[in-house]
Amino acid sequence: LGRGGMAVVYLALDLKHDRQVALKVIRSELAGIVGNDRFAREIRLAARLQHPHICSVYDSGATPDGQLWYTMPFVAGESLRDRVKREGRLPIADAVRITREAAQGFERLSAAR
């Protein structure tokens, strides 16, 4: 589904609950360089967050070789980046709504730290 500076997100199937999930896994080449501590902090912080604009953590763990992972809801649809590429500028009302929702999520994130 995506790749960031620290992790890769895959579409996966939660066999226990028969549902699609987003599976976020620390990039193996980075785990050895920066260690798992930073990603483990991300997991703990994300697991404490409860907000309509933030995906909750369903489960987390480590592979047998110590690679950390966690799962969260899979939300179908395009990313904001893809929408902007497709449409160009967003209508002002949409841009304000998206910004407000993101700010509310970040406000909750800051309070949890």
Side-chain angles (χ1 to χ4, degrees):
L1 297 175
R3 179 184 196 105
M6 190 171 183
V8 180
V9 181
Y10 301 96
L11 177 60
L13 178 63
D14 176 348
L15 297 174
K16 182 176 180 181
H17 299 104
D18 191 30
R19 62 184 172 188
Q20 288 186 320
V21 295
L23 170 66
K24 189 169 187 178
V25 181
I26 189 169
R27 290 174 41 194
S28 56
E29 66 271 18
L30 290 181
I33 298 170
V34 298
N36 282 333
D37 293 343
R38 184 171 164 199
F39 196 66
R41 281 193 307 274
E42 176 182 327
I43 294 169
R44 283 192 306 274
L45 181 61
R48 294 193 331 240
L49 298 176
Q50 296 295 317
H51 190 275
H53 304 302
I54 300 173
C55 289
S56 301
V57 171
Y58 282 155
D59 199 3
S60 65
T63 63
D65 64 349
Q67 190 175 17
L68 297 180
W69 59 268
Y70 68 97
T71 60
M72 59 196 124
F74 167 67
V75 180
E78 70 183 336
S79 68
L80 179 58
R81 177 180 296 182
D82 289 343
R83 182 175 173 195
V84 170
K85 281 182 185 177
R86 181 174 49 80
E87 292 183 17
R89 278 193 180 176
L90 298 178
I92 296 291
D94 287 354
V96 169
R97 178 185 52 79
I98 291 166
T99 303
R100 183 182 313 112
E101 291 172 358
Q104 289 169 347
F106 283 115
E107 179 180 52
R108 181 63 59 100
L109 177 65
S110 296
R113 287 185 177 180

